[in-house]
Amino acid sequence: MDHPNTSPAKTRWVFVMEPERCIDCEACMISCSVENEAPLGKHRNWIVKIDKGIYPNLSTTFLPENCHHCSNPPCERVCPTGATYRREDGLVLVDFDKCIGCKYCMMACPYDARFVNEEKKAVDKCTFCVHRLDAGLPPACVETCIGHARHFGNINDPESEVAKLLAKHPYYRLYEEAGSEPAIYYIYSNRVIE
Amino acid sequence: MTDESNPSSRVSRRQFLRWAGATAVAGALAASGLDLLHPLGTEAAFRSVRRLSDAPPTQFDREVASLCEMCVWRCGLRAKVKDERIYKLEGNPFHPHSRGMLCPRGQAGIATAYDPDRLKYPLIRSGPRGSGKWRRLSWNEALDYVAAQMLAIKNQYGAEAMIFSTTHNLVQTQFENMLHAFGTPNYGTQRSLCYNSMITANLMTFGLEEPGRDYSQARYIIYTGRNVLDSISNSESQDAMSAIARGAKVVVLEPRFTKTAAKATEWLPIKPGTDLAFHLALIQVIIEQELYDADFVQEYTVGFAALREATQSYTPEWAAGKCEIPAETIRRIAIEFAQAAPQAFAHPNWRTSNFLNSFQTERAIACLNALVGSWGRPGSLQPVGGEEGAGLGSIPQPAYPRTAAARLDGVPWKYPLVPLKLGVFQELRDNIITGQPYQPHGWFVYRQNPAQSLPDRTKTAEAMSKLDFIVTIDVSMNDTAWFSDVVLPEASYLERYDPLAVVDGTVFIRQPAIAPLYESKPGLWIFKELGQRLGLGDYFQYKDEEDYLRQQLAPLDITLEELKAKGHYRLPTSAAEGDKAFVFNTPTGKIELASQTLANSGFSAVPVWEEPVSNAPGAFFLLSGKVAQHTQCATHNNKLLHERMPSNPLWLNTVPAAERGIRDGDEVWVESPAGKVKTVAYVTEKIRPDCVFMTFGFGHVSKALVTSYGQGISDSSLHLSFTDPVSGSQALSQTFVTVTKA
Ligand code: SF4
Ligand code: SF4
Ligand code: SF4
């Protein structure tokens, strides 16, 4: 495999999404909200809906999304207090106690993945469910994805589901031109959606 | 005038009917009653109070295996509990309906248990019905009062003067037990608003209610208005998506570009009411071109010649004029479908209460499947069945009294072919109003919301005003409870035992993850306590809920404690099973393409064309249906789901919208002969220009539902009632509306 997140010896957690399998049910959003206690009205993950065409020639695509845990995270660079930091295994996290709420990171994020959590008085976002990961569990959104559109794993382990999917299918990442090296990979649809 | 302090007194009709028009409902929350519903400290958070940087917990005091009840699919779940609080619900990997996953509603279940608007205590009204004035009762007082009212009605007018109604649930056996023991024939279910036509057609054709589907090897699937990817049945939705991803060809007949249509290989925006023509034409092509499975037809069916003769003239060219789908498309799909068979099925669908011809549509679909031999083979329809609860121990009880009175819903004296357990709910409602063939006086409503689910809610309000006594048992103060005399709070599905459920030969348990909140009680307890007070104690021979389950488990090699810990138990396979796949429980023992039963009742023995009503110029078909985030009219006050979908804007195509000067988000008036309501337009390309669509369940009039009260509109304020004489099905898609800018 030839992509920038590869560094064979290390664990690198990534998402692989199959938009073709996303049915926009939002189970992932509610599962995440409950697991991570996001305030009502704020979400760590979301579904981008793209409608095209004029009746009756229509298409709709659903893109599941959350923080891309970039390898070169613009949010981390602009954080004045070091509240946003990057872990060895690629996770980009926020230390709520260090966050002063300046929102620079929110402006810097190419994916609009961050929000102000009024209850925590800090900027919040997807953690790849680090607490579950550390306990050996898959992220809450992945576990309950009834479309089987969300996959999660270590890209550097060739036996992982994500590595296998990426080896088999062409894929893309969102706003790659921003240079942030995002860790969410989207599998191209194998059907023609005009 | 009514005596406001006496709950058993009748409300004046005018007063009571006020709520029926949704626009008439406004104003501040009634003071006294709502205080009782929302006492201090009930903002029961489904969120914890933690230190800022503390991560969510991963260690719990216990993980309880139980069953979801956010819809009727009953997925297995695991509830993660710590400090007597449920933190998270997850799918049970051992349950075939969830396979480790819960849908959005299942995931949101904790917000139903921790809904601050939940019913907390038994209540009796202390003002007119619908005034929101309530007085708190002890359970003893409430049950004594309810039993006294029911017995007074029975003594004065006979048992048949009490109506019992409920919606599909696991306590239904005890509900039915009470109904039969009480001695009334009047049983209301949601079924005629939902799937009567589908079930009746399958009974008439295959001798079973609903064939299963094998998605694993299906190569070709036709959905006729079944929006399987949005109207979620967890495992089936998973299977459908997987079949599509695998490359199965999926054809969707649907006036709206649903999520299922978006994923399908082919979307056919068919004219509403004409699916029958489409399927008759498929049959015509398959017979004419001899594409049917001749061996299968010969061996397992009767009536082929009659079907061939009856469908001869239903050519694709003929159907094209009805459906607005090109003839060559119809012909091609007929050929493709037959070639893919038997790894192909036309889905029997689910809520099929659309048009008066929906029974014929379902019959045509059943015959289509039979013609191509889609039965009991890989990738085809599957013979499924078996009773719920088979293999479990039963609770001893005496025989039921004989009931001589006729059913108010016209089964069978007006609807000879409607199965008793389905009934005709809208007819029952109408006959409360007419008082024919006799006048009922009381209504026992268990976990159901007819005030919102029945079409034409002005009529439902009128029917309720004719009754002396209405008691509703539910978790929340739904619209029906709001207009009842007594309301009893049931424990939520996360707080109680229900009778055991058997799925695919495995026993599953619903058990409390936490103790019942407030003073709510499990249904099993309520039925036993009420039964005793009605003098029917012999019918409820269990000490408590656990004892009920122990008696069910008695013949099996597992204790309740073991089942509670494990969550499921595989039943021993009975030796006598054998292959019943091709034994059909019909009068002829075969698949009946032509049905003598239908002919005997004066209906066509084979599927035939019945012209549906069409819209006048300028009027729209009012379509309704489900979304992934809500279930019927039961989940709209759940804060997590409400946040995802707080209202139900009206889908309107861009062309008619432009003609009327309506832009996306504008307020519009929608008017049918049943009512006129104001809502918001969702202007979109994704619907036929002659249709509008709204999802149901919104527009609650119960002010006790603080989160959802007054949001969106209820389809029942617009829908008219039409009943199919064969299956008793309501026809929900043949109400026409006009839309104007507000
Ligand atoms: S990985 Fe966890 S935090 Fe991130 S979107 Fe999924 S559930 Fe939410
Ligand atoms: S749970 Fe899966 S299928 Fe449903 S919206 Fe989320 S990503 Fe899509
Ligand atoms: S389909 Fe969803 S709501 Fe229905 S039982 Fe399953 S998880 Fe619960």
Side-chain angles (χ1 to χ4, degrees):
Chain A
M1 267 176 301
D2 174 33
H3 40 72
N5 282 327
T6 312
S7 154
K10 291 187 187 157
T11 296
R12 175 49 165 132
W13 299 114
V14 303
F15 263 84
V16 172
M17 309 284 194
E18 288 186 85
E20 199 187 334
R21 299 196 62 137
C22 174
I23 58 172
D24 189 32
C25 71
E26 303 180 335
C28 50
M29 295 178 69
I30 294 177
S31 182
C32 177
S33 292
V34 177
E35 177 77 30
N36 296 296
E37 303 194 328
L40 281 176
K42 304 282 176 78
H43 292 279
R44 288 179 170 200
N45 57 359
W46 60 94
I47 310 295
V48 181
K49 300 156 219 266
I50 307 159
D51 286 337
K52 286 193 187 151
I54 305 278
Y55 175 89
N57 299 308
L58 302 169
S59 79
T60 298
T61 307
F62 303 116
L63 291 184
E65 206 179 342
N66 42 267
C67 166
H68 291 246
H69 292 256
C70 308
S71 296
N72 182 19
C75 53
E76 184 203 25
R77 280 203 302 278
V78 298
C79 178
T81 65
T84 290
Y85 64 100
R86 190 167 180 275
R87 263 186 17 166
E88 267 289 270
D89 55 5
L91 269 58
V92 178
L93 302 171
V94 182
D95 182 337
F96 292 141
D97 291 336
K98 284 194 190 159
C99 175
I100 54 169
C102 69
K103 305 183 196 169
Y104 289 176
C105 56
M106 290 172 61
M107 244 115 62
C109 173
Y111 306 101
D112 205 9
R114 297 175 161 240
F115 61 89
V116 176
N117 184 331
E118 303 287 353
E119 291 171 7
K120 303 232 185 239
K121 301 274 180 285
V123 169
D124 201 345
K125 69 164 194 74
C126 161
T127 58
F128 272 9
C129 280
V130 59
H131 62 290
R132 290 175 59 107
L133 223 53
D134 291 347
L137 298 169
C141 56
V142 173
E143 188 181 59
T144 209
C145 175
I146 67 175
H148 304 240
R150 289 174 169 264
H151 309 275
F152 182 84
N154 175 10
I155 197 173
N156 293 335
D157 171 4
E159 289 307 306
S160 71
E161 189 190 20
V162 287
K164 284 184 182 157
L165 277 165
L166 293 179
K168 196 162 157 215
H169 301 284
Y171 57 85
Y172 59 99
R173 292 181 294 168
L174 298 181
Y175 309 126
E176 264 188 293
E177 61 280 11
S180 64
E181 298 299 345
I184 302 183
Y185 296 81
Y186 292 89
I187 302 280
Y188 272 108
S189 168
N190 56 25
R191 293 189 300 148
V192 185
I193 296 174
E194 64 275 5
Chain B
M1 274 313 289
T2 52
D3 171 2
E4 301 222 338
S5 63
N6 178 2
S8 63
S9 75
R10 290 263 299 279
V11 179
S12 84
R13 210 180 122 205
R14 189 174 50 82
Q15 213 175 13
F16 190 52
L17 286 183
R18 262 201 320 232
W19 65 279
T23 49
V25 183
L29 305 180
S32 65
L34 283 177
D35 288 349
L36 191 54
L37 296 170
H38 297 101
L40 292 175
T42 52
E43 198 54 44
F46 44 86
R47 313 224 296 238
S48 62
V49 183
R50 289 201 305 256
R51 282 218 351 268
L52 289 184
S53 292
D54 283 355
T58 49
Q59 295 298 319
F60 297 91
D61 298 340
R62 56 182 186 273
E63 285 197 22
V64 182
S66 190
L67 295 172
C68 182
E69 197 186 48
M70 294 296 285
C71 85
V72 298
W73 204 246
R74 239 175 253 155
C75 293
L77 62 76
R78 291 172 299 137
K80 297 180 163 184
V81 183
K82 190 181 163 89
D83 302 327
E84 296 311 310
R85 182 195 139 208
I86 306 169
Y87 273 74
K88 184 75 169 56
L89 301 172
E90 281 167 6
N92 179 351
F94 297 107
H95 197 287
H97 289 179
S98 52
R99 306 167 186 159
M101 294 166 205
L102 296 179
C103 82
R105 299 157 300 165
Q107 282 291 349
I110 60 168
T112 288
Y114 294 127
D115 184 350
D117 300 343
R118 252 182 80 165
L119 285 169
K120 301 179 179 73
Y121 322 103
L123 296 172
I124 187 164
R125 68 182 171 85
S126 58
R129 282 184 187 159
S131 65
K133 294 193 173 138
W134 301 96
R135 188 159 60 80
R136 184 173 164 179
L137 295 179
S138 71
W139 269 102
N140 251 332
E141 289 171 311
L143 291 166
D144 286 349
Y145 181 81
V146 170
Q149 294 295 310
M150 289 169 70
L151 288 174
I153 288 170
K154 186 175 184 172
N155 291 338
Q156 193 172 348
Y157 308 106
E160 65 273 19
M162 271 303 299
I163 296 162
F164 286 66
S165 68
T166 193
T167 297
H168 198 63
N169 63 74
L170 277 177
V171 198
Q172 207 152 352
T173 47
Q174 290 315 298
F175 169 91
E176 289 178 2
N177 194 19
M178 171 158 294
L179 154 102
H180 296 314
F182 190 82
T184 176
N186 291 314
Y187 182 4
T189 78
Q190 86 293 357
R191 290 160 180 153
S192 63
L193 312 178
C194 183
Y195 53 45
N196 267 35
S197 51
M198 182 270 285
I199 300 267
T200 314
N202 284 313
L203 283 171
M204 294 294 163
T205 316
F206 300 114
L208 60 73
E209 293 185 357
E210 190 206 352
R213 284 74 65 184
D214 175 23
Y215 281 89
S216 68
Q217 295 184 56
R219 292 161 56 207
Y220 207 103
I221 303 169
I222 301 175
Y223 291 110
T224 310
R226 172 78 172 102
N227 184 10
V228 70
L229 298 183
D230 208 7
S231 175
I232 292 179
S233 301
N234 193 348
S235 45
E236 180 161 17
S237 303
Q238 294 184 32
D239 286 343
M241 189 60 250
S242 293
I244 292 169
R246 183 168 42 75
K249 169 137 195 187
V250 171
V251 175
V252 169
L253 301 176
E254 182 83 67
R256 198 165 57 97
F257 192 63
T258 58
K259 288 174 189 169
T260 313
K263 297 289 175 188
T265 342
E266 197 162 354
W267 170 49
L268 301 175
I270 191 166
K271 181 168 189 196
T274 67
D275 312 81
L276 174 58
F278 181 89
H279 288 289
L280 289 172
L282 296 191
I283 291 175
Q284 192 274 342
V285 173
I286 286 170
I287 294 180
E288 188 191 64
Q289 300 199 15
E290 298 185 2
L291 299 169
Y292 54 92
D293 183 336
D295 294 341
F296 184 91
V297 167
Q298 168 73 28
E299 185 155 4
Y300 298 117
T301 73
V302 292
F304 177 75
L307 181 68
R308 179 175 55 199
E309 168 135 18
T311 53
Q312 247 162 18
S313 60
Y314 300 138
T315 60
E317 286 67 25
W318 166 83
K322 306 282 181 194
C323 315
E324 302 179 2
I325 295 172
E328 58 273 25
T329 304
I330 301 174
R331 185 167 278 110
R332 170 176 53 77
I333 289 173
I335 295 168
E336 287 173 358
F337 181 72
Q339 284 172 346
Q343 284 167 272
F345 57 84
H347 195 284
N349 309 303
W350 186 250
R351 185 185 70 74
T352 45
S353 50
N354 291 316
F355 285 84
L356 288 179
N357 70 12
S358 291
F359 171 78
Q360 293 298 339
T361 307
E362 286 299 307
R363 270 279 288 161
I365 289 171
C367 292
L368 172 68
N369 284 308
L371 279 180
V372 298
S374 173
W375 192 265
R377 297 162 168 187
S380 79
L381 290 189
Q382 298 300 318
V384 289
E387 290 161 56
E388 271 182 29
L392 298 173
S394 53
I395 285 74
Q397 60 177 55
Y400 295 123
R402 280 183 63 87
T403 313
R407 280 169 63 122
L408 282 167
D409 70 355
V411 183
W413 51 274
K414 183 169 173 190
Y415 302 104
L417 295 182
V418 176
L420 289 172
K421 68 185 245 197
L422 301 189
V424 187
F425 204 16
Q426 64 277 17
E427 180 91 15
L428 173 61
R429 186 265 322 269
D430 292 351
N431 286 340
I432 300 173
I433 299 173
T434 62
Q436 297 303 325
Y438 52 85
Q439 182 63 53
H441 292 268
W443 197 350
F444 177 99
V445 186
Y446 178 58
R447 243 191 257 168
Q448 195 188 41
N449 190 6
Q452 200 177 33
S453 60
L454 279 163
D456 200 343
R457 71 175 173 189
T458 310
K459 276 191 175 177
T460 311
E462 188 179 352
M464 289 171 81
S465 75
K466 294 260 177 180
L467 299 170
D468 304 333
F469 177 67
I470 304 171
V471 53
T472 297
I473 305 172
D474 210 294
V475 176
S476 74
M477 182 71 94
N478 64 33
D479 289 353
T480 307
W482 184 248
F483 289 97
S484 297
D485 302 311
V486 175
V487 181
L488 304 178
E490 189 176 25
S492 85
Y493 71 100
L494 296 168
E495 303 153 14
R496 61 164 201 260
Y497 290 103
D498 272 352
L500 298 170
V502 181
V503 183
D504 298 348
T506 303
V507 182
F508 288 92
I509 183 171
R510 175 173 288 142
Q511 60 177 325
I514 53 170
L517 292 177
Y518 315 104
E519 289 183 9
S520 64
K521 294 283 187 189
L524 276 175
W525 181 91
I526 298 172
F527 281 107
K528 177 183 167 66
E529 291 290 324
L530 191 57
Q532 282 172 342
R533 286 168 173 80
L534 289 168
L536 306 171
D538 282 356
Y539 292 91
F540 299 91
Q541 294 185 33
Y542 50 95
K543 280 196 284 297
D544 51 23
E545 301 89 78
E546 290 199 355
D547 182 48
Y548 187 100
L549 270 60
R550 278 186 221 284
Q551 294 189 50
Q552 286 196 294
L553 289 177
L556 303 178
D557 188 21
I558 185 168
T559 65
L560 180 59
E561 285 63 33
E562 287 163 351
L563 184 63
K564 284 174 67 173
K566 193 152 179 255
H568 60 101
Y569 170 75
R570 179 105 204 129
L571 287 170
T573 36
S574 83
E577 264 307 277
D579 188 13
K580 293 196 196 136
F582 297 97
V583 179
F584 299 95
N585 191 19
T586 55
T588 56
K590 304 226 171 192
I591 298 174
E592 301 198 337
L593 303 175
S595 158
Q596 193 56 42
T597 313
L598 279 169
N600 290 347
S601 291
F603 304 114
S604 170
V606 287
V608 282
W609 174 242
E610 286 174 9
E611 190 76 34
V613 287
S614 196
N615 54 333
F620 298 89
F621 288 90
L622 173 64
L623 308 179
S624 53
K626 279 189 65 176
V627 292
Q629 295 81 9
H630 284 294
T631 297
Q632 323 306 16
C633 36
T635 57
H636 300 71
N637 209 65
N638 176 304
K639 282 185 192 267
L640 288 163
L641 296 174
H642 178 264
E643 191 258 341
R644 293 317 307 141
M645 178 171 266
S647 186
N648 60 343
L650 187 80
W651 291 46
L652 176 65
N653 181 281
T654 48
V655 173
E659 286 165 8
R660 289 161 178 75
I662 297 167
R663 281 174 313 184
D664 190 36
D666 280 354
E667 288 201 316
V668 291
W669 285 106
V670 194
E671 187 170 6
S672 82
K676 180 176 181 179
V677 285
K678 198 199 261 181
T679 187
V680 170
Y682 165 52
V683 176
T684 175
E685 296 291 338
K686 299 193 280 185
I687 188 166
R688 277 176 64 99
D690 57 357
C691 298
V692 292
F693 167 86
M694 60 196 277
T695 182
F696 32 64
F698 286 91
H700 292 291
V701 294
S702 166
K703 291 176 188 164
L705 300 173
V706 177
T707 300
S708 58
Y709 167 69
Q711 301 212 23
I713 55 171
S714 172
D715 58 318
S716 65
S717 57
L718 292 165
H719 273 138
L720 297 167
S721 300
F722 305 98
T723 301
D724 160 30
V726 189
S727 71
S729 175
Q730 156 72 17
L732 283 173
S733 301
Q734 57 179 68
T735 295
F736 300 102
V737 295
T738 57
V739 179
T740 48
K741 196 169 169 181

